Amino acid sequence: MEHNAAEAEIVDTGSLTRRWIMYVVGIYVLTFGVSLAIRAGIGISPQSSLTRTMTLVYPPFSQGTYNFMLELIMLFLTYLVLPKDFKLKNFASLIPAFVLAVFLDFNLGLTEFIKLDAYPLRVALLVFADAALAFGLFLMIRANLVLMPIDMFVNTIFKRTGWKWGNIKTGFDCTLLVLSACIGLLFLAEVKFIREGTILNAILVGQYIKLYFFLYRKMQGRKASASPKGLEAAAK
């Protein structure tokens, strides 16, 4: 979650307790969106496709467990990329990663009953799932607290190379997709969970976050104009 100028405008600078509540709620909403996207069954995000594929390769571990394992690997790679900047506080990123893993498994169990056959309903569910996922990310950005290890890794690559952050994130996501496809072909003889919904997810999540930024700024603008100081300024 690299904060650019637009993101800085919506960051919450209030009490730490409120921000932590917002952050945890954001993680929950995000994992709920991921779970619904999985139930849509027409393709999921690169990270989810990899961890979901692993649950088919070795079923005893849950998707949440595989997701936490991936975060652990990313934290280790973060250290390898820039060891001088790595500090003990970086291990704090494993706390939200663990919470995410628990929430993900919980929401996968909660949504297990969802089984849709009609394709339009599956698309509609994915569109809603991406909206929920993006809103969870929006809340986490607003809270402005701990980066997840995966985000920390992407940021560390950015610091080390100076490449554009967006290009690094795209390259990282593509790497996860290739890895997911290769594992699927090697162990399952077919590519799993990478479909048209994967492309739709990549497009919609970013657009939804932009929409939430826009709506938040508009709402704040209305609040400011409705305040006594805003009314005085308008009168002048």
Side-chain angles (χ1 to χ4, degrees):
M1 295 180 291
E2 178 75 358
H3 297 314
N4 55 28
E7 290 174 341
E9 293 177 10
I10 58 94
V11 165
D12 190 342
T13 56
S15 74
L16 196 58
T17 301
R18 183 178 70 188
R19 287 162 61 199
W20 270 112
I21 291 172
M22 185 186 301
Y23 191 72
V24 173
V25 170
I27 293 175
Y28 182 83
V29 174
L30 182 149
T31 57
F32 184 67
V34 170
S35 301
L36 290 178
I38 290 170
R39 300 309 176 199
I42 56 172
I44 48 183
S45 68
Q47 182 177 337
S48 295
S49 70
L50 175 58
T51 55
R52 192 69 179 170
T53 297
M54 289 305 301
T55 63
L56 298 181
V57 174
Y58 190 69
F61 289 161
S62 68
Q63 186 170 353
T65 301
Y66 280 117
N67 198 86
F68 187 71
M69 288 179 179
L70 180 61
E71 299 280 9
L72 273 173
I73 293 170
M74 290 301 106
L75 188 63
F76 177 65
L77 290 179
T78 298
Y79 169 75
L80 292 182
V81 170
L82 209 60
K84 291 182 180 179
D85 282 5
F86 195 88
K87 297 179 175 58
L88 283 176
K89 68 179 182 180
N90 292 127
F91 285 103
S93 63
L94 293 177
I95 298 173
F98 177 76
V99 173
L100 187 148
V102 173
F103 282 165
L104 180 58
D105 285 343
F106 174 79
N107 280 318
L108 283 171
L110 193 66
T111 59
E112 193 173 6
F113 71 96
I114 300 176
K115 298 184 190 325
L116 301 176
D117 295 322
Y119 187 78
L121 290 178
R122 290 187 172 200
V123 174
L125 180 59
L126 182 64
V127 170
F128 177 77
D130 286 342
L133 193 160
F135 188 65
L137 283 173
F138 172 78
L139 291 178
M140 292 169 71
I141 293 170
R142 278 262 297 142
N144 191 33
L145 292 169
V146 185
L147 285 175
M148 294 283 186
I150 286 178
D151 298 313
M152 190 184 299
F153 173 72
V154 173
N155 281 357
T156 302
I157 294 291
F158 170 74
K159 289 178 184 177
R160 181 66 185 267
T161 64
W163 299 339
K164 289 185 178 180
W165 192 92
N167 292 341
I168 297 171
K169 185 65 168 66
T170 300
F172 177 77
D173 287 344
C174 289
T175 301
L176 292 183
L177 279 178
V178 171
L179 187 57
S180 175
C182 289
I183 291 174
L185 289 172
L186 184 62
F187 293 97
L188 306 171
E190 63 177 316
V191 176
K192 292 283 190 178
F193 310 114
I194 301 174
R195 288 181 51 183
E196 65 274 16
T198 305
I199 299 173
L200 194 61
N201 173 274
I203 296 171
L204 286 181
V205 171
Q207 295 306 309
Y208 275 130
I209 291 178
K210 287 180 182 179
L211 175 63
Y212 297 144
F213 281 9
F214 170 77
L215 292 176
Y216 177 80
R217 285 194 292 265
K218 192 170 184 180
M219 183 179 67
Q220 291 300 104
R222 286 180 178 177
K223 283 184 179 179
S225 61
S227 66
K229 289 184 179 179
L231 291 173
E232 288 177 10
K236 291 178 182 180

mmCIF file of all heavy atoms in Angstrom, residues 188-225:
data_model
loop_
_atom_site.group_PDB
_atom_site.id
_atom_site.type_symbol
_atom_site.label_atom_id
_atom_site.label_comp_id
_atom_site.label_asym_id
_atom_site.label_seq_id
_atom_site.Cartn_x
_atom_site.Cartn_y
_atom_site.Cartn_z
ATOM 1 N N LEU A 188 -1.420 -30.926 -10.903
ATOM 2 C CA LEU A 188 -2.847 -31.193 -11.133
ATOM 3 C C LEU A 188 -3.177 -31.412 -12.608
ATOM 4 O O LEU A 188 -4.328 -31.687 -12.947
ATOM 5 C CB LEU A 188 -3.686 -30.027 -10.597
ATOM 6 C CG LEU A 188 -3.443 -29.635 -9.125
ATOM 7 C CD1 LEU A 188 -4.163 -28.338 -8.793
ATOM 8 C CD2 LEU A 188 -3.888 -30.753 -8.189
ATOM 9 N N ALA A 189 -2.190 -31.240 -13.465
ATOM 10 C CA ALA A 189 -2.333 -31.431 -14.920
ATOM 11 C C ALA A 189 -3.240 -30.394 -15.572
ATOM 12 O O ALA A 189 -3.672 -30.572 -16.713
ATOM 13 C CB ALA A 189 -2.831 -32.837 -15.244
ATOM 14 N N GLU A 190 -3.554 -29.309 -14.865
ATOM 15 C CA GLU A 190 -4.344 -28.223 -15.449
ATOM 16 C C GLU A 190 -4.176 -26.958 -14.617
ATOM 17 O O GLU A 190 -3.819 -27.006 -13.439
ATOM 18 C CB GLU A 190 -5.822 -28.603 -15.525
ATOM 19 C CG GLU A 190 -6.483 -28.857 -14.186
ATOM 20 C CD GLU A 190 -7.964 -29.166 -14.325
ATOM 21 O OE1 GLU A 190 -8.648 -28.465 -15.094
ATOM 22 O OE2 GLU A 190 -8.439 -30.109 -13.665
ATOM 23 N N VAL A 191 -4.414 -25.828 -15.288
ATOM 24 C CA VAL A 191 -4.340 -24.540 -14.602
ATOM 25 C C VAL A 191 -5.654 -24.312 -13.859
ATOM 26 O O VAL A 191 -6.733 -24.458 -14.429
ATOM 27 C CB VAL A 191 -4.105 -23.390 -15.602
ATOM 28 C CG1 VAL A 191 -4.139 -22.047 -14.883
ATOM 29 C CG2 VAL A 191 -2.778 -23.593 -16.321
ATOM 30 N N LYS A 192 -5.559 -23.965 -12.588
ATOM 31 C CA LYS A 192 -6.739 -23.762 -11.754
ATOM 32 C C LYS A 192 -6.884 -22.291 -11.359
ATOM 33 O O LYS A 192 -5.890 -21.596 -11.117
ATOM 34 C CB LYS A 192 -6.636 -24.599 -10.472
ATOM 35 C CG LYS A 192 -6.711 -26.101 -10.696
ATOM 36 C CD LYS A 192 -8.136 -26.531 -10.941
ATOM 37 C CE LYS A 192 -8.284 -28.039 -10.929
ATOM 38 N NZ LYS A 192 -9.697 -28.454 -11.134
ATOM 39 N N PHE A 193 -8.129 -21.832 -11.297
ATOM 40 C CA PHE A 193 -8.505 -20.533 -10.707
ATOM 41 C C PHE A 193 -8.006 -19.315 -11.478
ATOM 42 O O PHE A 193 -8.109 -18.200 -10.988
ATOM 43 C CB PHE A 193 -8.030 -20.444 -9.251
ATOM 44 C CG PHE A 193 -8.413 -21.633 -8.418
ATOM 45 C CD1 PHE A 193 -7.449 -22.502 -7.912
ATOM 46 C CD2 PHE A 193 -9.746 -21.915 -8.162
ATOM 47 C CE1 PHE A 193 -7.809 -23.612 -7.152
ATOM 48 C CE2 PHE A 193 -10.110 -23.024 -7.411
ATOM 49 C CZ PHE A 193 -9.139 -23.870 -6.903
ATOM 50 N N ILE A 194 -7.433 -19.516 -12.654
ATOM 51 C CA ILE A 194 -7.021 -18.382 -13.489
ATOM 52 C C ILE A 194 -7.929 -18.361 -14.707
ATOM 53 O O ILE A 194 -7.782 -19.170 -15.617
ATOM 54 C CB ILE A 194 -5.545 -18.486 -13.920
ATOM 55 C CG1 ILE A 194 -4.632 -18.535 -12.688
ATOM 56 C CG2 ILE A 194 -5.162 -17.294 -14.794
ATOM 57 C CD1 ILE A 194 -3.175 -18.774 -13.016
ATOM 58 N N ARG A 195 -8.869 -17.415 -14.703
ATOM 59 C CA ARG A 195 -9.848 -17.331 -15.778
ATOM 60 C C ARG A 195 -10.164 -15.865 -16.077
ATOM 61 O O ARG A 195 -9.415 -14.967 -15.674
ATOM 62 C CB ARG A 195 -11.119 -18.088 -15.397
ATOM 63 C CG ARG A 195 -10.989 -19.597 -15.390
ATOM 64 C CD ARG A 195 -12.290 -20.283 -15.017
ATOM 65 N NE ARG A 195 -13.423 -19.814 -15.818
ATOM 66 C CZ ARG A 195 -14.671 -20.225 -15.645
ATOM 67 N NH1 ARG A 195 -14.958 -21.108 -14.698
ATOM 68 N NH2 ARG A 195 -15.648 -19.744 -16.409
ATOM 69 N N GLU A 196 -11.262 -15.636 -16.739
ATOM 70 C CA GLU A 196 -11.657 -14.265 -17.083
ATOM 71 C C GLU A 196 -11.879 -13.410 -15.840
ATOM 72 O O GLU A 196 -11.667 -12.194 -15.853
ATOM 73 C CB GLU A 196 -12.918 -14.277 -17.956
ATOM 74 C CG GLU A 196 -14.177 -14.810 -17.286
ATOM 75 C CD GLU A 196 -14.324 -16.322 -17.353
ATOM 76 O OE1 GLU A 196 -13.335 -17.020 -17.646
ATOM 77 O OE2 GLU A 196 -15.436 -16.804 -17.107
ATOM 78 N N GLY A 197 -12.273 -14.058 -14.744
ATOM 79 C CA GLY A 197 -12.480 -13.326 -13.505
ATOM 80 C C GLY A 197 -11.193 -12.740 -12.943
ATOM 81 O O GLY A 197 -11.222 -11.739 -12.214
ATOM 82 N N THR A 198 -10.059 -13.357 -13.279
ATOM 83 C CA THR A 198 -8.756 -12.845 -12.832
ATOM 84 C C THR A 198 -8.487 -11.484 -13.461
ATOM 85 O O THR A 198 -8.010 -10.555 -12.802
ATOM 86 C CB THR A 198 -7.641 -13.836 -13.205
ATOM 87 O OG1 THR A 198 -7.943 -15.127 -12.665
ATOM 88 C CG2 THR A 198 -6.301 -13.373 -12.669
ATOM 89 N N ILE A 199 -8.803 -11.367 -14.750
ATOM 90 C CA ILE A 199 -8.632 -10.089 -15.454
ATOM 91 C C ILE A 199 -9.631 -9.065 -14.919
ATOM 92 O O ILE A 199 -9.294 -7.901 -14.681
ATOM 93 C CB ILE A 199 -8.822 -10.277 -16.971
ATOM 94 C CG1 ILE A 199 -7.776 -11.248 -17.520
ATOM 95 C CG2 ILE A 199 -8.739 -8.932 -17.698
ATOM 96 C CD1 ILE A 199 -7.977 -11.635 -18.962
ATOM 97 N N LEU A 200 -10.868 -9.517 -14.720
ATOM 98 C CA LEU A 200 -11.908 -8.625 -14.193
ATOM 99 C C LEU A 200 -11.524 -8.100 -12.815
ATOM 100 O O LEU A 200 -11.718 -6.918 -12.499
ATOM 101 C CB LEU A 200 -13.239 -9.380 -14.119
ATOM 102 C CG LEU A 200 -14.509 -8.550 -13.909
ATOM 103 C CD1 LEU A 200 -14.705 -7.567 -15.063
ATOM 104 C CD2 LEU A 200 -15.717 -9.464 -13.782
ATOM 105 N N ASN A 201 -10.961 -8.973 -11.992
ATOM 106 C CA ASN A 201 -10.502 -8.584 -10.657
ATOM 107 C C ASN A 201 -9.430 -7.502 -10.741
ATOM 108 O O ASN A 201 -9.472 -6.504 -10.009
ATOM 109 C CB ASN A 201 -9.966 -9.817 -9.920
ATOM 110 C CG ASN A 201 -9.310 -9.474 -8.596
ATOM 111 O OD1 ASN A 201 -8.129 -9.156 -8.549
ATOM 112 N ND2 ASN A 201 -10.058 -9.545 -7.513
ATOM 113 N N ALA A 202 -8.471 -7.689 -11.655
ATOM 114 C CA ALA A 202 -7.377 -6.732 -11.803
ATOM 115 C C ALA A 202 -7.888 -5.350 -12.211
ATOM 116 O O ALA A 202 -7.355 -4.323 -11.786
ATOM 117 C CB ALA A 202 -6.377 -7.248 -12.832
ATOM 118 N N ILE A 203 -8.948 -5.330 -13.020
ATOM 119 C CA ILE A 203 -9.515 -4.053 -13.484
ATOM 120 C C ILE A 203 -10.395 -3.412 -12.415
ATOM 121 O O ILE A 203 -10.243 -2.231 -12.086
ATOM 122 C CB ILE A 203 -10.340 -4.260 -14.770
ATOM 123 C CG1 ILE A 203 -9.424 -4.736 -15.910
ATOM 124 C CG2 ILE A 203 -11.058 -2.972 -15.169
ATOM 125 C CD1 ILE A 203 -10.167 -5.183 -17.146
ATOM 126 N N LEU A 204 -11.299 -4.202 -11.858
ATOM 127 C CA LEU A 204 -12.324 -3.651 -10.967
ATOM 128 C C LEU A 204 -11.793 -3.152 -9.638
ATOM 129 O O LEU A 204 -12.228 -2.103 -9.150
ATOM 130 C CB LEU A 204 -13.413 -4.700 -10.712
ATOM 131 C CG LEU A 204 -14.377 -4.976 -11.867
ATOM 132 C CD1 LEU A 204 -15.409 -6.014 -11.452
ATOM 133 C CD2 LEU A 204 -15.083 -3.695 -12.303
ATOM 134 N N VAL A 205 -10.872 -3.893 -9.021
ATOM 135 C CA VAL A 205 -10.399 -3.513 -7.679
ATOM 136 C C VAL A 205 -9.801 -2.112 -7.686
ATOM 137 O O VAL A 205 -10.125 -1.269 -6.842
ATOM 138 C CB VAL A 205 -9.395 -4.546 -7.135
ATOM 139 C CG1 VAL A 205 -8.753 -4.025 -5.838
ATOM 140 C CG2 VAL A 205 -10.084 -5.878 -6.857
ATOM 141 N N GLY A 206 -8.947 -1.842 -8.675
ATOM 142 C CA GLY A 206 -8.349 -0.512 -8.772
ATOM 143 C C GLY A 206 -9.376 0.574 -9.006
ATOM 144 O O GLY A 206 -9.305 1.660 -8.415
ATOM 145 N N GLN A 207 -10.372 0.291 -9.858
ATOM 146 C CA GLN A 207 -11.414 1.273 -10.154
ATOM 147 C C GLN A 207 -12.306 1.525 -8.944
ATOM 148 O O GLN A 207 -12.725 2.651 -8.691
ATOM 149 C CB GLN A 207 -12.253 0.806 -11.347
ATOM 150 C CG GLN A 207 -11.482 0.719 -12.648
ATOM 151 C CD GLN A 207 -10.762 2.008 -12.997
ATOM 152 O OE1 GLN A 207 -11.349 3.097 -12.995
ATOM 153 N NE2 GLN A 207 -9.477 1.904 -13.285
ATOM 154 N N TYR A 208 -12.603 0.449 -8.213
ATOM 155 C CA TYR A 208 -13.408 0.606 -7.003
ATOM 156 C C TYR A 208 -12.693 1.480 -5.978
ATOM 157 O O TYR A 208 -13.307 2.350 -5.344
ATOM 158 C CB TYR A 208 -13.708 -0.754 -6.375
ATOM 159 C CG TYR A 208 -14.912 -1.470 -6.946
ATOM 160 C CD1 TYR A 208 -14.827 -2.792 -7.360
ATOM 161 C CD2 TYR A 208 -16.143 -0.834 -7.044
ATOM 162 C CE1 TYR A 208 -15.932 -3.463 -7.877
ATOM 163 C CE2 TYR A 208 -17.252 -1.484 -7.552
ATOM 164 C CZ TYR A 208 -17.138 -2.802 -7.968
ATOM 165 O OH TYR A 208 -18.235 -3.451 -8.475
ATOM 166 N N ILE A 209 -11.399 1.258 -5.794
ATOM 167 C CA ILE A 209 -10.645 2.057 -4.816
ATOM 168 C C ILE A 209 -10.650 3.531 -5.226
ATOM 169 O O ILE A 209 -10.826 4.423 -4.388
ATOM 170 C CB ILE A 209 -9.202 1.529 -4.676
ATOM 171 C CG1 ILE A 209 -9.214 0.160 -3.995
ATOM 172 C CG2 ILE A 209 -8.345 2.501 -3.871
ATOM 173 C CD1 ILE A 209 -7.855 -0.483 -3.853
ATOM 174 N N LYS A 210 -10.470 3.794 -6.524
ATOM 175 C CA LYS A 210 -10.549 5.175 -7.010
ATOM 176 C C LYS A 210 -11.921 5.779 -6.707
ATOM 177 O O LYS A 210 -12.028 6.950 -6.330
ATOM 178 C CB LYS A 210 -10.284 5.218 -8.522
ATOM 179 C CG LYS A 210 -8.839 4.994 -8.911
ATOM 180 C CD LYS A 210 -8.681 5.058 -10.421
ATOM 181 C CE LYS A 210 -7.239 4.798 -10.831
ATOM 182 N NZ LYS A 210 -7.072 4.823 -12.306
ATOM 183 N N LEU A 211 -12.970 4.961 -6.883
ATOM 184 C CA LEU A 211 -14.326 5.425 -6.586
ATOM 185 C C LEU A 211 -14.485 5.756 -5.114
ATOM 186 O O LEU A 211 -15.061 6.799 -4.761
ATOM 187 C CB LEU A 211 -15.339 4.351 -6.985
ATOM 188 C CG LEU A 211 -16.817 4.634 -6.628
ATOM 189 C CD1 LEU A 211 -17.312 5.881 -7.362
ATOM 190 C CD2 LEU A 211 -17.682 3.425 -6.936
ATOM 191 N N TYR A 212 -13.957 4.905 -4.236
ATOM 192 C CA TYR A 212 -14.048 5.153 -2.788
ATOM 193 C C TYR A 212 -13.273 6.411 -2.400
ATOM 194 O O TYR A 212 -13.720 7.181 -1.546
ATOM 195 C CB TYR A 212 -13.529 3.949 -2.001
ATOM 196 C CG TYR A 212 -14.335 2.685 -2.212
ATOM 197 C CD1 TYR A 212 -13.717 1.431 -2.250
ATOM 198 C CD2 TYR A 212 -15.718 2.733 -2.393
ATOM 199 C CE1 TYR A 212 -14.449 0.273 -2.448
ATOM 200 C CE2 TYR A 212 -16.457 1.575 -2.593
ATOM 201 C CZ TYR A 212 -15.818 0.353 -2.619
ATOM 202 O OH TYR A 212 -16.548 -0.788 -2.821
ATOM 203 N N PHE A 213 -12.112 6.621 -3.036
ATOM 204 C CA PHE A 213 -11.348 7.849 -2.783
ATOM 205 C C PHE A 213 -12.195 9.071 -3.157
ATOM 206 O O PHE A 213 -12.281 10.049 -2.406
ATOM 207 C CB PHE A 213 -10.071 7.866 -3.623
ATOM 208 C CG PHE A 213 -8.955 7.030 -3.073
ATOM 209 C CD1 PHE A 213 -9.147 6.174 -1.993
ATOM 210 C CD2 PHE A 213 -7.693 7.091 -3.627
ATOM 211 C CE1 PHE A 213 -8.123 5.414 -1.495
ATOM 212 C CE2 PHE A 213 -6.646 6.328 -3.132
ATOM 213 C CZ PHE A 213 -6.869 5.497 -2.062
ATOM 214 N N PHE A 214 -12.801 9.000 -4.355
ATOM 215 C CA PHE A 214 -13.615 10.114 -4.860
ATOM 216 C C PHE A 214 -14.798 10.393 -3.935
ATOM 217 O O PHE A 214 -15.055 11.549 -3.575
ATOM 218 C CB PHE A 214 -14.105 9.786 -6.270
ATOM 219 C CG PHE A 214 -15.140 10.751 -6.783
ATOM 220 C CD1 PHE A 214 -14.771 12.011 -7.232
ATOM 221 C CD2 PHE A 214 -16.491 10.403 -6.810
ATOM 222 C CE1 PHE A 214 -15.732 12.907 -7.694
ATOM 223 C CE2 PHE A 214 -17.448 11.292 -7.267
ATOM 224 C CZ PHE A 214 -17.065 12.547 -7.716
ATOM 225 N N LEU A 215 -15.522 9.347 -3.544
ATOM 226 C CA LEU A 215 -16.692 9.513 -2.681
ATOM 227 C C LEU A 215 -16.305 10.061 -1.315
ATOM 228 O O LEU A 215 -17.015 10.901 -0.743
ATOM 229 C CB LEU A 215 -17.413 8.171 -2.522
ATOM 230 C CG LEU A 215 -18.097 7.621 -3.777
ATOM 231 C CD1 LEU A 215 -18.684 6.244 -3.499
ATOM 232 C CD2 LEU A 215 -19.170 8.578 -4.286
ATOM 233 N N TYR A 216 -15.165 9.595 -0.800
ATOM 234 C CA TYR A 216 -14.719 10.070 0.516
ATOM 235 C C TYR A 216 -14.369 11.555 0.462
ATOM 236 O O TYR A 216 -14.779 12.335 1.333
ATOM 237 C CB TYR A 216 -13.509 9.268 0.988
ATOM 238 C CG TYR A 216 -12.959 9.762 2.300
ATOM 239 C CD1 TYR A 216 -13.549 9.420 3.510
ATOM 240 C CD2 TYR A 216 -11.842 10.608 2.332
ATOM 241 C CE1 TYR A 216 -13.059 9.901 4.715
ATOM 242 C CE2 TYR A 216 -11.339 11.085 3.527
ATOM 243 C CZ TYR A 216 -11.955 10.729 4.720
ATOM 244 O OH TYR A 216 -11.462 11.209 5.907
ATOM 245 N N ARG A 217 -13.612 11.945 -0.573
ATOM 246 C CA ARG A 217 -13.239 13.352 -0.694
ATOM 247 C C ARG A 217 -14.467 14.235 -0.889
ATOM 248 O O ARG A 217 -14.543 15.340 -0.362
ATOM 249 C CB ARG A 217 -12.251 13.537 -1.855
ATOM 250 C CG ARG A 217 -10.848 13.055 -1.549
ATOM 251 C CD ARG A 217 -9.863 13.562 -2.583
ATOM 252 N NE ARG A 217 -10.113 12.948 -3.882
ATOM 253 C CZ ARG A 217 -9.492 11.878 -4.338
ATOM 254 N NH1 ARG A 217 -8.583 11.280 -3.579
ATOM 255 N NH2 ARG A 217 -9.768 11.406 -5.534
ATOM 256 N N LYS A 218 -15.443 13.734 -1.653
ATOM 257 C CA LYS A 218 -16.678 14.497 -1.874
ATOM 258 C C LYS A 218 -17.450 14.650 -0.569
ATOM 259 O O LYS A 218 -17.980 15.731 -0.268
ATOM 260 C CB LYS A 218 -17.524 13.772 -2.919
ATOM 261 C CG LYS A 218 -18.681 14.609 -3.445
ATOM 262 C CD LYS A 218 -19.340 13.954 -4.640
ATOM 263 C CE LYS A 218 -20.433 14.842 -5.202
ATOM 264 N NZ LYS A 218 -21.090 14.228 -6.381
ATOM 265 N N MET A 219 -17.502 13.566 0.201
ATOM 266 C CA MET A 219 -18.197 13.600 1.487
ATOM 267 C C MET A 219 -17.518 14.573 2.444
ATOM 268 O O MET A 219 -18.186 15.341 3.153
ATOM 269 C CB MET A 219 -18.231 12.199 2.097
ATOM 270 C CG MET A 219 -19.000 12.106 3.414
ATOM 271 S SD MET A 219 -19.028 10.416 4.046
ATOM 272 C CE MET A 219 -17.287 10.171 4.431
ATOM 273 N N GLN A 220 -16.178 14.559 2.472
ATOM 274 C CA GLN A 220 -15.439 15.477 3.332
ATOM 275 C C GLN A 220 -15.639 16.920 2.903
ATOM 276 O O GLN A 220 -15.706 17.822 3.737
ATOM 277 C CB GLN A 220 -13.941 15.126 3.313
ATOM 278 C CG GLN A 220 -13.598 13.811 4.003
ATOM 279 C CD GLN A 220 -13.996 13.817 5.472
ATOM 280 O OE1 GLN A 220 -14.998 13.213 5.860
ATOM 281 N NE2 GLN A 220 -13.227 14.496 6.287
ATOM 282 N N GLY A 221 -15.733 17.121 1.593
ATOM 283 C CA GLY A 221 -15.960 18.469 1.079
ATOM 284 C C GLY A 221 -17.312 19.006 1.514
ATOM 285 O O GLY A 221 -17.441 20.181 1.870
ATOM 286 N N ARG A 222 -18.323 18.143 1.508
ATOM 287 C CA ARG A 222 -19.659 18.547 1.957
ATOM 288 C C ARG A 222 -19.676 18.868 3.443
ATOM 289 O O ARG A 222 -20.325 19.819 3.880
ATOM 290 C CB ARG A 222 -20.668 17.447 1.652
ATOM 291 C CG ARG A 222 -21.035 17.333 0.175
ATOM 292 C CD ARG A 222 -22.041 16.234 -0.057
ATOM 293 N NE ARG A 222 -22.423 16.149 -1.460
ATOM 294 C CZ ARG A 222 -23.246 15.241 -1.952
ATOM 295 N NH1 ARG A 222 -23.773 14.316 -1.136
ATOM 296 N NH2 ARG A 222 -23.548 15.226 -3.227
ATOM 297 N N LYS A 223 -18.953 18.040 4.223
ATOM 298 C CA LYS A 223 -18.876 18.290 5.669
ATOM 299 C C LYS A 223 -18.215 19.636 5.956
ATOM 300 O O LYS A 223 -18.641 20.380 6.826
ATOM 301 C CB LYS A 223 -18.092 17.170 6.350
ATOM 302 C CG LYS A 223 -18.872 15.871 6.532
ATOM 303 C CD LYS A 223 -18.036 14.869 7.293
ATOM 304 C CE LYS A 223 -18.803 13.564 7.509
ATOM 305 N NZ LYS A 223 -17.972 12.572 8.239
ATOM 306 N N ALA A 224 -17.146 19.916 5.198
ATOM 307 C CA ALA A 224 -16.414 21.169 5.410
ATOM 308 C C ALA A 224 -17.278 22.370 5.061
ATOM 309 O O ALA A 224 -17.283 23.384 5.767
ATOM 310 C CB ALA A 224 -15.144 21.169 4.563
ATOM 311 N N SER A 225 -18.043 22.258 3.967
ATOM 312 C CA SER A 225 -18.893 23.380 3.553
ATOM 313 C C SER A 225 -20.088 23.575 4.490
ATOM 314 O O SER A 225 -20.613 24.673 4.619
ATOM 315 C CB SER A 225 -19.399 23.163 2.127
ATOM 316 O OG SER A 225 -20.182 21.990 2.051
#
